[in-house]
Amino acid sequence: MVTLQEWLEEIDARARTRLGTGRVADYIPALAEQKADRFGIAVCTNEGDIYTAGEAQEPFSIQSIAKVFLLTLALRVQGDALWERVGLNPSGMPFNSLAQLEAERGKPRNPFINAGAIAVADRLVSAYATPSKHLRDVARTLSGNASIRIDARVRESEWRHRARNAAMAYLMKAFGNIDNDVDQVLDAYFSCCALAMSCVDLARALNYLAADGHARAIGAPFIAPDLARKINSLLFTCGMYDAAGDFAYRVGLPAKSGVGGGIVAIVPGRLSVCAWSPALDDSGNSVAAQYALELIAETLGHTQAPGGGLAARPRQHAP
Ligand code: GLN
């Protein structure tokens, strides 16, 4: 039986064989300059133990992973009334598609595509004076890392190249689904996408989804167990954009990816894991991070190590 640490190191070595595949996001210059040869992975068990391999401490742009924090905060503020503004179903379309939004009268399919997250950000602009700072502070608290910051260059770059996201926001505004000033809503959305966090930060910060809503860092429930279960269900069906079905088949875990190359996956009742590598496939999901999570998923269902940590399966069973 290999230990989880040994298994992560093996995953790191195997995921690196995929580093030549895919393309770094190039829709904004600040992301286009990322180096494609990076890989990191961090596991946070529900007991609070951290295991890492590769560049797990390196901060990267969390991008759409911010949509999980946005949704959690909006549900805390608004509860189920949020679902009058945003749907609960997979879109089957690219994350930045406008086509469906017009046909469905400005109500985005789900909170994990761009239009959905922008509608959610509008709710937070109504609720908080400085929503992105609030979200940053929540990320700091949940991860136990007070140095987490919003990367001003990325935020600026998103703003300068905002045409498509602005089009979505204005379309929703025209249908009455955005209450606040569009520029203010976009600024909140871009600022949250521009948070720079590491695999360790993200695995820690989103562990509440694995732990029935309990956040170890605050020593108290962050959300109700029922809400954690519901968010995980949405992550399972919608978290990987139009590739959600492929990922569900290959990995079978609730997960959220971002075009910075990060993917967080949740193993309810056991652990949270974040893998990161900047090169993406055509759906905008990191090639090497998806592969790493596939390897992680293969080890699940096997023995729990003492202390509740995950024990990886015997080496000879690894493909
Ligand atoms: N900031 C990105 C955008 O708005 C987020 C998209 C993503 O990570 N999929 O397009």
Side-chain angles (χ1 to χ4, degrees), residues 11-20 37-40 53-55 288 291:
I11 289 174
D12 175 68
R14 288 171 65 179
R16 281 176 195 277
T17 65
R18 302 284 170 104
L19 290 183
D37 62 349
R38 329 295 291 278
F39 176 82
E55 286 138 310
Y291 179 53

Side-chain angles (χ1 to χ4, degrees), residues 203-259:
R204 272 210 175 105
L206 290 170
N207 184 262
Y208 64 88
L209 291 173
D212 276 340
H214 186 87
R216 177 166 281 272
I218 54 177
F222 181 55
I223 52 173
D226 191 42
L227 192 52
R229 179 180 60 77
K230 287 175 171 168
I231 294 173
N232 285 334
S233 301
L234 268 176
L235 287 171
F236 192 79
T237 51
C238 309
M240 301 294 285
Y241 318 124
D242 46 331
D246 289 314
F247 188 81
Y249 181 79
R250 283 165 56 195
V251 179
L253 296 174
K256 184 75 206 82
S257 68
V259 291

Side-chain angles (χ1 to χ4, degrees), residues 131-252:
S132 56
K133 285 211 179 75
H134 179 71
L135 195 144
R136 179 204 62 191
D137 291 345
V138 166
R140 285 180 174 175
T141 303
L142 291 176
S143 64
N145 180 359
S147 67
I148 288 171
R149 58 188 193 88
I150 293 168
D151 184 326
R153 265 201 75 225
V154 173
R155 172 190 177 173
E156 179 60 27
S157 210
E158 298 267 13
W159 178 257
R160 212 169 314 123
H161 299 270
R162 67 188 177 285
R164 180 170 274 274
N165 285 317
M168 287 171 212
Y170 277 109
L171 190 55
M172 288 191 284
K173 179 98 180 160
F175 280 113
N177 199 18
I178 295 279
D179 289 350
N180 296 284
D181 173 63
V182 164
D183 284 359
Q184 223 184 326
V185 174
L186 287 174
D187 180 60
Y189 169 69
F190 293 141
S191 301
C192 296
C193 289
L195 273 168
M197 294 173 74
S198 69
C199 290
V200 172
D201 293 334
L202 280 166
R204 272 210 175 105
L206 290 170
N207 184 262
Y208 64 88
L209 291 173
D212 276 340
H214 186 87
R216 177 166 281 272
I218 54 177
F222 181 55
I223 52 173
D226 191 42
L227 192 52
R229 179 180 60 77
K230 287 175 171 168
I231 294 173
N232 285 334
S233 301
L234 268 176
L235 287 171
F236 192 79
T237 51
C238 309
M240 301 294 285
Y241 318 124
D242 46 331
D246 289 314
F247 188 81
Y249 181 79
R250 283 165 56 195
V251 179

Side-chain angles (χ1 to χ4, degrees), residues 29-93:
L31 289 181
E33 66 198 25
Q34 290 184 104
K35 291 202 203 93
D37 62 349
R38 329 295 291 278
F39 176 82
I41 186 164
V43 166
C44 176
T45 69
N46 285 9
E47 291 69 40
D49 299 321
I50 297 285
Y51 298 86
T52 68
E55 286 138 310
Q57 300 280 2
E58 174 95 13
F60 58 88
S61 191
I62 73 168
Q63 292 297 321
S64 275
I65 299 171
K67 291 168 179 162
V68 187
F69 296 117
L70 285 165
L71 175 66
T72 304
L73 293 184
L75 284 170
R76 273 165 53 118
V77 170
Q78 269 226 295
D80 279 347
L82 182 70
W83 305 120
E84 287 160 25
R85 305 285 190 133
V86 190
L88 289 156
N89 285 300
S91 71
M93 305 281 261

